[in-house]
Amino acid sequence: MNILELCLSDSLGGLELHFRDFSVWLDEQQSSEGRIFVATRSETPLASRMESDLCLTNRNLWHAARLSKFISANKIDVVHIHDKKDLPLLALVKSICSYPFKLAHTRHMSLPGGKRDFYHSWLYGKVDAYFVITEWMKSQVINNLPLAPEKIHKINLGTAVVERCSETELSELKDNIFSEHQGLWLANIARIQHGKGQHVFLDAIKQLKDKGIQVAGVIAGGTDDPQYVKQLEDYIELHQLKVKIFGHRDDIPVLIQAMDAVVLTTECETFGLIMIEAMMAGVVAIGSNSGGVPEIIDHLENGLLFNVFDPQDLSKQIQLLDLSSELKEKLALKGQQKALQRFEKKKQFLAFKEKLLNLEE
């Protein structure tokens, strides 16, 4: 069976990294009976981080003929896409391609509203399998898309088991950020934009500082909103907060391990991959009580939840870690146990692979 993994995104976030990791893993698992092909968009961060069998310059529908020829020439049985923006192109390709392939789509983002008009009925009518990553998303799909229930499959994303860094390495990393800090260390790791709530993170740290609680914070992530970043920097300077802002970092697994907690402040996060990465590393995960995050974190059992965009409630949850090292250790341990049981990457990849292979039947 031949599978084409395709992602034409020009970004580099959780969606794109999942695509890359799954494609590489699939390629390692391939047998003599089939091959894994990869298609990306040329001159993008994703394309520079993996080998591609086909590179397209954009999503222009004129590429449909080229993609159709590639699928036919290589006898692709299943095309698996990850970015919703790639769906119109692949729906058109499926309409014109002489080789009868199956189309699978993993949806990583929430669905804000109903899409049952003629165009979307045609578009989703070309989809043979639709993967969602939370039960919350599954209910959205059932309510909003013209898809038969048997085509909808829920499979959580996963993360790798973490190799523990040495205490020396972690200490050096922290010293390079804020030397000799003795209080809590918190990280907010997400794309830097208003909807991700970094301003809530800063406001919570300010409230903790006003209470005399020593906190060092790290904000890390790419951005296309320099004005918002400037607002964050001005807030940090105004209130003299011990927080540093970084762009995209390649040492995120190490950074996570150096923290006491990883905080996700998104207004409505679909899944929250960074949460399970923190849990897998044995670090406390703190997330907004919305979207798919409550499916990951059980409050006060294996992590902490706070009310959406509520810095006062967030500061209250963080303060619990400062007040009780026993609670912090319990949440970290229980979180790691849940991550190993529910969100180990290879288990999730096997589930995706099984569904893709079954499409050929």
Side-chain angles (χ1 to χ4, degrees), residues 181-186 208-209 211-216 260-261 284 286 304 314-329 331:
H181 174 70
Q182 299 300 315
L184 287 174
W185 285 86
L186 306 174
L208 291 166
K209 179 187 176 185
K211 294 178 182 178
I213 299 171
Q214 296 300 310
V215 175
D260 292 296
V284 178
I286 305 176
L304 297 170
L314 175 56
S315 67
K316 175 183 173 182
Q317 303 308 321
I318 296 170
Q319 190 171 1
L320 293 177
L321 304 182
D322 184 67
L323 293 172
S324 175
S325 58
E326 291 81 5
L327 176 63
K328 182 165 73 102
E329 291 172 5
L331 296 177

Side-chain angles (χ1 to χ4, degrees), residues 18 24 30 75 79 96 102 143 170 182 187 194 227 257 274 312 322 327:
H18 170 76
V24 171
Q30 68 176 313
K75 298 182 179 179
V79 177
I96 66 174
K102 301 286 187 180
N143 292 330
L170 299 179
Q182 299 300 315
H194 187 273
Q227 184 176 356
Q257 291 183 46
I274 195 67
Q312 184 173 357
D322 184 67
L327 176 63

Side-chain angles (χ1 to χ4, degrees), residues 129-145:
Y130 198 88
F131 303 128
V132 293
I133 57 178
T134 61
E135 287 293 340
W136 173 68
M137 284 183 67
K138 186 174 182 178
S139 64
Q140 284 188 318
V141 172
I142 292 172
N143 292 330
N144 294 326
L145 296 185

Side-chain angles (χ1 to χ4, degrees), residues 190-204:
R191 189 159 186 80
I192 303 175
Q193 58 191 53
H194 187 273
K196 295 293 186 180
Q198 282 85 2
H199 59 287
V200 178
F201 180 67
L202 292 182
D203 199 350

Side-chain angles (χ1 to χ4, degrees), residues 79-200:
V79 177
H80 181 202
I81 65 173
H82 297 253
D83 192 327
K84 65 179 182 179
K85 295 177 183 178
D86 296 331
L87 183 54
L89 174 60
L90 268 298
L92 178 58
V93 170
K94 192 170 183 186
S95 298
I96 66 174
C97 188
S98 60
Y99 193 83
F101 67 90
K102 301 286 187 180
L103 179 58
H105 177 26
T106 295
R107 175 82 182 203
H108 294 257
M109 308 301 290
S110 64
L111 291 116
K115 300 180 184 296
R116 295 183 179 275
D117 54 75
F118 177 79
Y119 167 70
H120 286 97
S121 295
W122 169 82
L123 187 69
Y124 288 99
K126 300 299 181 183
V127 175
D128 298 286
Y130 198 88
F131 303 128
V132 293
I133 57 178
T134 61
E135 287 293 340
W136 173 68
M137 284 183 67
K138 186 174 182 178
S139 64
Q140 284 188 318
V141 172
I142 292 172
N143 292 330
N144 294 326
L145 296 185
L147 278 166
E150 61 270 17
K151 290 185 177 182
I152 306 168
H153 312 278
K154 194 255 335 190
I155 304 176
N156 294 135
L157 298 184
T159 190
V161 176
V162 178
E163 182 178 344
R164 186 68 187 173
C165 297
S166 69
E167 290 302 321
T168 300
E169 184 177 4
L170 299 179
S171 295
E172 288 177 352
L173 186 149
K174 289 190 284 190
D175 284 342
N176 287 333
I177 299 174
F178 291 112
S179 61
E180 301 182 2
H181 174 70
Q182 299 300 315
L184 287 174
W185 285 86
L186 306 174
N188 182 293
I189 305 169
R191 189 159 186 80
I192 303 175
Q193 58 191 53
H194 187 273
K196 295 293 186 180
Q198 282 85 2
H199 59 287
V200 178

Side-chain angles (χ1 to χ4, degrees), residues 155-350:
I155 304 176
N156 294 135
L157 298 184
T159 190
V161 176
V162 178
E163 182 178 344
R164 186 68 187 173
C165 297
S166 69
E167 290 302 321
T168 300
E169 184 177 4
L170 299 179
S171 295
E172 288 177 352
L173 186 149
K174 289 190 284 190
D175 284 342
N176 287 333
I177 299 174
F178 291 112
S179 61
E180 301 182 2
H181 174 70
Q182 299 300 315
L184 287 174
W185 285 86
L186 306 174
N188 182 293
I189 305 169
R191 189 159 186 80
I192 303 175
Q193 58 191 53
H194 187 273
K196 295 293 186 180
Q198 282 85 2
H199 59 287
V200 178
F201 180 67
L202 292 182
D203 199 350
I205 290 178
K206 176 189 177 296
Q207 293 187 32
L208 291 166
K209 179 187 176 185
D210 291 344
K211 294 178 182 178
I213 299 171
Q214 296 300 310
V215 175
V218 174
I219 293 174
T223 186
D224 54 7
D225 190 349
Q227 184 176 356
Y228 181 61
V229 175
K230 181 66 164 56
Q231 291 173 359
L232 299 177
E233 292 172 339
D234 290 345
Y235 189 92
I236 291 169
E237 183 177 359
L238 176 64
H239 298 288
Q240 294 297 293
L241 302 180
K242 195 179 283 188
V243 178
K244 285 191 177 178
I245 300 177
F246 299 92
H248 177 79
R249 293 179 64 117
D250 291 324
D251 64 343
I252 292 299
V254 182
L255 180 65
I256 289 173
Q257 291 183 46
M259 299 294 110
D260 292 296
V262 172
V263 184
L264 187 64
T265 47
T266 310
E267 186 172 15
C268 190
E269 188 71 32
T270 306
F271 182 66
L273 185 61
I274 195 67
M275 295 285 88
I276 63 172
E277 290 175 345
M279 292 162 71
M280 190 68 81
V283 173
V284 178
I286 305 176
S288 302
N289 190 11
S290 67
V293 175
E295 295 180 39
I296 299 172
I297 296 174
D298 304 296
H299 184 56
L300 289 174
E301 177 60 27
N302 48 46
L304 297 170
L305 296 171
F306 68 97
N307 296 327
V308 180
F309 271 25
D310 185 343
Q312 184 173 357
D313 191 35
L314 175 56
S315 67
K316 175 183 173 182
Q317 303 308 321
I318 296 170
Q319 190 171 1
L320 293 177
L321 304 182
D322 184 67
L323 293 172
S324 175
S325 58
E326 291 81 5
L327 176 63
K328 182 165 73 102
E329 291 172 5
K330 171 203 163 184
L331 296 177
L333 177 61
K334 294 288 188 180
Q336 188 174 50
Q337 290 173 346
K338 182 173 182 178
L340 285 166
Q341 181 181 9
R342 288 270 309 275
F343 304 117
E344 197 276 315
K345 180 180 286 188
K346 290 183 180 179
K347 294 179 182 177
Q348 311 310 103
F349 282 178
L350 281 170

